[in-house]
Amino acid sequence: MTTLERLYDRADRGARWLAAAGIALLMLMTLVLMADISTRRTLNFAILGTIDLTQLAVMLAVFFALPLTFLHEANVNVDFFTNRLPPRALAALNCVVTLLSAALLIAIAWFSLVQARIQFAQGDKSMTLGIPMLVYWAPMLFGTTLSILATLLVATREAVRAAGAKVPW
Amino acid sequence: MSGPLAGALGFAAVVALIALRMPVAIAMGIVGTLGFGLVNGWSTLGFVLGRAPFESVFPIGLSVLPLFILMGVFAAHGGLSRSLYGFVAALIGHLRGGLALATVGACAIFGAVCGSAIATAATMGRVAMPEMRRAGYDDRLSSASVAAGGTLGVMIPPSILFVIYGLMTEQSIGKLLAAGILPGILGTLLYMAAIGWSTARDPKLGPPGPRANWTERLQAARDVWQVVLLFGLVLGGMYWGWFSPTEAAAVGAFGAIVLAWAGGKLKRAGYFTAIKETATTVGMIFMILIGAGIFNYFIDTTGLTDAIVQWIKDLGLPRWWVMFLLMVMYIILGALMDELAMMLLTVGPVFKLIVALGFDPIWFGVMFVTVCEIGMIVPPVGINLFVIQGVSGLPLATIVRGITPFVVADCVRMLLIALVPALATWLPSRMAG
């Protein structure tokens, strides 16, 4: 196993666990919402802050899923016009496209950090529970940063392919 | 360069990048970033890149999406699709083309717990294709019936496309989901008519199978009551105002997970696969929303939307001609690009136009989703054709050869919804709240 393969293997395992954690939190949120519906309809008592918590669960689920999405190249693309390219040319094209993805993600991560710091400085909080907005930004910054690493790994693999070397995964 | 022209060039650049294999989300994000910087100056770009991705995930209305995705994935992995297919096949499998009819019927019922056409087609394809092959069905009919039947997943609620349309146009998501029920049933019947017409012309396409007795039918019915209950609870809860769309989605997701667990068909590895599939689908859809969020900041500032609306108004065409041209444009676009991207790219300007022309926004949502269904089964980029190709291993040409009657059925459905708008608007008008 080469260093690149080992790195990919570890990244894959980490991304799977992170994504699973995000979806598990979403599942937990369904339980909270079910409890809220039940108590509201039977005891006329609503659980406070379900909207705040749902938004947080969705932020965690989405941004924890992004590194896996990029690592597994699960984003929607159209290969109809390029699927007749020779394998090495296709790998080179994939490499360029993935590097552009990384560039966009870097810009998003950087400017999101700026926005998060502004909201932190202003002391912004969620509507009902008063959760600091920084808590909502944190999964986004974390997930986007890991997605950058995922895209760079995929770009490296495609560069190796474009150079003519065999890549077993 | 004028603003609207810059916007039009932006659209062209996105399509060009998508053709060069760039993910749809990234193409929209990059063009949106560069376009906004060039048109408005680079100093405010940081605000757009910082805010747009956050705003594309944070609003509470969007929480419906991951929950409905969770529901659909667990319904698919929990074996509900096999039970549904077995039930409908027991009822009508003995007719000529009966297994293809059963496939379409099962797709419609499965669509009621799964909001994605791709998931519906892939799931039912794995179940129905081997059965139809064993029964001697022609590959053209079997593959096309699954590809077309799968599209019912985005019309029959819950539907991811309706949710996103509702969020983009500020329409009631509950009403939009209700609006899809009658057109979904109509679509199912018309697809069945297409199968009937195909097998009447060439009986060898779908030979009749053995007739199931009533004991077998009742046995098959025992396995599907949970699906009906889940669908009834999710949609009924929204229809009668018991809970919000987000809560309905949570009830659906919870119910699907419980059914998968109680059915005992989902082992430990199956849970991990379902969670991974949910995660990548959620990541993929929200990444498109993030890209579209950045792109829409750019398009809004170019004034392209208002320019298009004004231009079409100035043409002085009768409003139904405008609608006809829009539908033709969408059929062509749908054949060339992903339906979600098509919606995110175009619904903003088009919605302003159709409201200005006096069309009902809910009715237009149904027309739009019908057009999306056509786009999913029309080559070269009909996504369901590729899904069935992947599931069955058949050449794309074989699937495409069988698809024409289903595309005609969709066009007939669009015509009927245009002639009788109540098909789309009657149920929402009866909703509580």
Side-chain angles (χ1 to χ4, degrees), chain B residues 89-405:
Chain B
L91 289 180
I92 54 176
H94 60 281
L95 300 174
R96 195 167 54 198
L99 290 183
L101 296 172
T103 302
V104 168
C107 280
I109 308 174
F110 189 73
V113 287
C114 176
S116 153
I118 297 172
T120 306
T123 307
M124 294 311 303
R126 281 187 206 106
V127 175
M129 288 291 297
E131 296 290 333
M132 285 193 273
R133 276 183 165 169
R134 254 197 299 278
Y137 275 54
D138 189 289
D139 283 339
R140 283 171 297 172
L141 178 68
S142 58
S143 59
S145 60
V146 186
T151 66
L152 294 168
V154 291
M155 178 59 81
I156 294 173
S159 157
I160 289 169
L161 287 185
F162 273 135
V163 171
I164 294 175
Y165 175 84
L167 292 168
M168 286 184 76
T169 59
E170 297 179 351
Q171 298 300 307
S172 157
I173 290 171
K175 286 189 175 184
L176 277 165
L177 294 179
I181 296 177
L182 292 180
I185 294 170
L186 179 65
T188 309
L189 295 175
L190 286 170
Y191 283 161
M192 288 180 167
I195 292 167
W197 180 80
S198 300
T199 50
R201 281 184 68 211
D202 183 359
K204 279 183 281 184
L205 287 176
R211 183 190 285 268
N213 60 37
W214 278 104
T215 316
E216 288 167 326
R217 286 175 182 175
L218 284 174
Q219 237 166 9
R222 266 203 319 226
D223 294 333
V224 296
W225 67 267
Q226 308 104 314
V227 182
V228 177
L229 182 71
L230 189 61
F231 175 66
L233 196 60
V234 170
L235 206 73
M238 272 192 289
Y239 190 82
W240 282 293
W242 296 342
F243 32 71
S244 68
T246 301
E247 290 167 342
V251 170
F254 179 78
I257 294 167
V258 169
L259 288 180
W261 170 76
K265 287 170 186 157
L266 205 53
K267 305 292 175 218
R268 192 163 173 261
Y271 277 102
F272 276 105
T273 311
I275 286 172
K276 188 212 139 199
E277 195 178 315
T278 306
T280 48
T281 310
V282 165
M284 176 265 285
I285 287 180
F286 275 89
M287 199 55 222
I288 293 181
L289 290 176
I290 289 171
I294 298 171
F295 187 69
N296 285 337
Y297 259 102
F298 159 57
I299 289 298
D300 280 349
T301 58
T302 62
L304 178 67
T305 308
D306 294 329
I308 290 174
V309 173
Q310 195 54 49
W311 177 67
I312 293 178
K313 272 185 180 172
D314 291 346
L315 285 177
L317 289 172
R319 64 185 200 130
W320 281 103
W321 263 107
V322 176
M323 182 55 66
F324 173 74
L325 292 175
L326 275 177
M327 291 299 121
V328 171
M329 175 194 87
Y330 273 130
I331 289 173
I332 296 167
L333 266 183
L336 294 172
M337 68 192 295
D338 172 72
E339 281 64 36
L340 183 55
M342 178 172 89
M343 173 183 275
L344 291 166
L345 275 171
T346 63
V347 157
V350 167
F351 184 73
K352 271 193 179 177
L353 178 66
I354 64 116
V355 170
L357 291 172
F359 287 108
D360 184 300
I362 300 275
W363 172 85
F364 179 71
V366 173
M367 290 290 278
F368 182 84
V369 171
T370 310
V371 157
C372 286
E373 287 183 275
I374 297 176
M376 287 171 186
I377 52 173
V378 171
V381 192
I383 186 77
N384 271 20
L385 302 176
F386 295 113
V387 171
I388 300 305
Q389 187 191 22
V391 170
S392 65
L394 289 170
L396 197 62
T398 305
I399 309 168
V400 171
R401 273 209 297 274
I403 210 73
T404 311

Side-chain angles (χ1 to χ4, degrees), chain A residues 31 40 55 76 80 82 115, chain B residues 21 24 51 58 247 254 380:
Chain A
L31 287 178
R40 213 173 53 215
Q55 285 176 301
V76 175
F80 181 79
T82 51
Q115 286 295 318
Chain B
R21 218 184 176 93
V24 172
R51 288 302 309 185
F58 185 69
E247 290 167 342
F254 179 78

Side-chain angles (χ1 to χ4, degrees), chain B residues 29-119:
Chain B
I30 286 178
V31 173
T33 303
L34 296 177
F36 189 92
L38 288 168
V39 171
N40 303 289
W42 302 96
S43 57
T44 48
L45 181 61
F47 175 79
V48 174
L49 279 173
R51 288 302 309 185
F54 187 83
E55 286 167 2
S56 303
V57 184
F58 185 69
I60 185 66
L62 285 166
S63 56
V64 175
L65 286 177
L67 292 168
F68 274 146
I69 292 166
L70 191 64
M71 174 184 176
V73 171
F74 271 85
H77 283 266
L80 296 182
S81 50
R82 192 168 291 281
S83 309
L84 283 173
Y85 182 73
F87 171 63
V88 188
L91 289 180
I92 54 176
H94 60 281
L95 300 174
R96 195 167 54 198
L99 290 183
L101 296 172
T103 302
V104 168
C107 280
I109 308 174
F110 189 73
V113 287
C114 176
S116 153
I118 297 172

Side-chain angles (χ1 to χ4, degrees), chain A residues 90-101:
Chain A
L90 197 58
L93 181 64
N94 275 342
C95 181
V96 173
V97 162
T98 315
L99 285 174
L100 286 171
S101 304

